[in-house]
Amino acid sequence: MYVQRWEVFDRGLSYLDNLYSFLNTQYVKCLRPTEGEMNYGSTLPMIDRHTMEILEVGLWQWKMFLLDLIKKRLCHRLILEVHNDRYGISSQQNYISPCLKSFLRVGELRDVGKFGKEIYLEIFQNQLREHTQNFYKQWATQREETLSCSQYVTEALALRKEERLRAERYYAGSLALVQQLFQDIIVEDRLAFLNQSVSSIVAGEDKAALRNIFELLSPVNLCSELLNAFGQHIKSLVSDAIFALPQDPAQAPIQFVDSLISIRQRFTNFIDEVFGNISAFRLRMDRAISQAITERATTNFRTNSGSTTR
């Protein structure tokens, strides 16, 4: 109902504004100062400084005599429609966007550039923040209790996409807010839960699960545990390969080189496929290989030194 009345009012007001702009230009002395008068003229009379166009008068009256009186009910309806959309209830969601645009339109008053945004924040975004926080907390708590880490990540990515599309469709001006709340509540507040299974997923080399975890954590640079687990896994594989080398001094060097080349090539492809060829994972791989070789060499040196001493 509000949107329908607003569209009629806004259209009629635009017609009137165009008409009076024409009349003012052709037949009525302009009461507003020119740019030169504003810069170089004397102090303007109060009546001139408070002259308003028909458009401004109409928007001011809409706010004063309607919007200010029903804003609480209007806010409740808007948040209810967001709630319904999140839970798959078909209602009047298509009215969200034009309703919010009316707030910004009402704010188009002379000399008040941020007025529309303030109306938008007061009536809608502040309440959207509270509702979204509660929704995300409930969502995360329920799934943390019932899902595995991989399942949680999969559903979180689906939710992130749904929330982005919803914001872009209905309240694009609040997209950044919604995305930040998602990262804070769904990801960062559950980081311990997400990290506790990273090592086992890396050890199993589950590409799909690792790709999802990386996609969820990388936008906010929370991949340190994933990097560490990845490095430890490669280090363990290299250590095992070194331990399995034959005792024959003629064969050991060849097999050693072949094993390292095989492992490095395998995980280079793995990084390209799963982690989007991010340099941090390549560096961590090379460091892990180097550490495994160094530790093995140190162990052999100590063993040989002990044998010589005896």
Side-chain angles (χ1 to χ4, degrees):
M1 183 67 73
Y2 170 87
V3 171
Q4 294 171 346
R5 296 291 185 267
W6 161 255
E7 289 175 346
V8 172
F9 177 83
D10 186 45
R11 186 164 56 250
L13 184 60
S14 297
Y15 293 154
L16 278 177
D17 186 59
N18 290 335
L19 173 62
Y20 278 89
S21 294
F22 172 77
L23 294 175
N24 288 340
T25 302
Q26 299 297 323
Y27 303 107
V28 181
K29 179 182 182 298
C30 182
L31 295 178
R32 285 193 169 180
T34 64
E35 184 176 354
E37 290 172 333
M38 293 178 66
N39 291 332
Y40 306 108
S42 58
T43 304
L44 296 171
M46 288 297 293
I47 187 171
D48 285 354
R49 284 186 284 155
H50 290 277
T51 300
M52 298 177 71
E53 300 285 356
I54 292 296
L55 177 64
E56 295 173 323
V57 173
L59 294 176
W60 177 82
Q61 290 182 337
W62 181 270
K63 178 184 182 301
M64 182 66 66
F65 299 117
L66 180 65
L67 196 54
D68 284 349
L69 300 179
I70 67 169
K71 60 185 179 183
K72 289 185 178 180
R73 283 189 295 160
L74 199 56
C75 170
H76 173 74
R77 289 301 309 176
L78 287 168
I79 297 302
L80 179 61
E81 294 306 328
V82 174
H83 173 87
N84 288 341
D85 197 72
R86 280 174 167 159
Y87 286 94
I89 302 172
S90 180
S91 184
Q92 301 182 49
Q93 288 91 339
N94 289 336
Y95 289 115
I96 296 175
S97 181
C99 185
L100 297 179
K101 288 179 180 178
S102 77
F103 301 162
L104 299 175
R105 172 71 164 158
V106 168
E108 294 178 3
L109 298 174
R110 181 166 55 120
D111 302 329
V112 193
K114 297 182 179 179
F115 192 45
K117 188 65 175 178
E118 291 174 357
I119 297 174
Y120 178 90
L121 292 174
E122 177 189 358
I123 298 180
F124 179 70
Q125 182 160 294
N126 292 337
Q127 285 68 30
L128 176 68
R129 179 195 302 273
E130 181 179 353
H131 179 270
T132 302
Q133 285 175 332
N134 293 334
F135 172 73
Y136 284 168
K137 288 177 181 178
Q138 182 180 11
W139 187 97
T141 300
Q142 290 177 346
R143 281 153 182 79
E144 185 178 2
E145 293 174 351
T146 59
L147 301 179
S148 67
C149 174
S150 296
Q151 292 170 330
Y152 180 96
V153 170
T154 300
E155 293 201 10
L157 289 174
L159 176 65
R160 185 173 71 180
K161 181 179 179 180
E162 291 172 3
E163 288 290 289
R164 177 179 58 80
L165 293 175
R166 181 177 296 109
E168 289 175 347
R169 181 177 182 183
Y170 298 128
Y171 37 89
S174 298
L175 175 60
L177 168 69
V178 171
Q179 290 178 324
Q180 186 59 54
L181 290 174
F182 180 92
Q183 296 298 341
D184 292 343
I185 299 171
I186 303 296
V187 182
E188 293 192 39
D189 288 354
R190 265 63 188 183
L191 190 58
F193 168 70
L194 295 172
N195 283 337
Q196 69 184 11
S197 301
V198 164
S199 295
S200 61
I201 296 174
V202 170
E205 298 183 19
D206 187 337
K207 292 183 179 180
L210 288 172
R211 189 182 297 111
N212 286 341
I213 292 175
F214 176 72
E215 184 179 347
L216 185 66
L217 299 180
S218 59
V220 283
N221 297 320
L222 296 175
C223 294
S224 59
E225 187 66 26
L226 180 59
L227 270 169
N228 290 335
F230 182 70
Q232 285 298 120
H233 178 57
I234 294 177
K235 181 180 176 182
S236 176
L237 292 177
V238 174
S239 297
D240 291 344
I242 294 174
F243 183 78
L245 291 175
Q247 297 297 321
D248 186 348
Q251 296 182 7
I254 298 175
Q255 186 169 330
F256 172 71
V257 173
D258 289 343
S259 297
L260 289 186
I261 291 175
S262 175
I263 291 173
R264 193 180 190 286
Q265 184 59 50
R266 169 185 160 195
F267 282 98
T268 296
N269 295 334
F270 191 94
I271 292 170
D272 291 342
E273 184 178 350
V274 176
F275 303 124
N277 195 23
I278 297 298
S279 60
F281 285 89
R282 286 181 175 272
L283 293 173
R284 192 68 184 86
M285 173 183 66
D286 291 337
R287 189 188 312 162
I289 294 173
S290 177
Q291 288 174 345
I293 295 172
T294 301
E295 289 180 7
R296 183 61 179 176
T298 302
T299 301
N300 289 342
F301 175 77
R302 289 174 179 172
T303 301
N304 294 334
S305 297
S307 299
T308 302
T309 302
R310 287 193 296 271

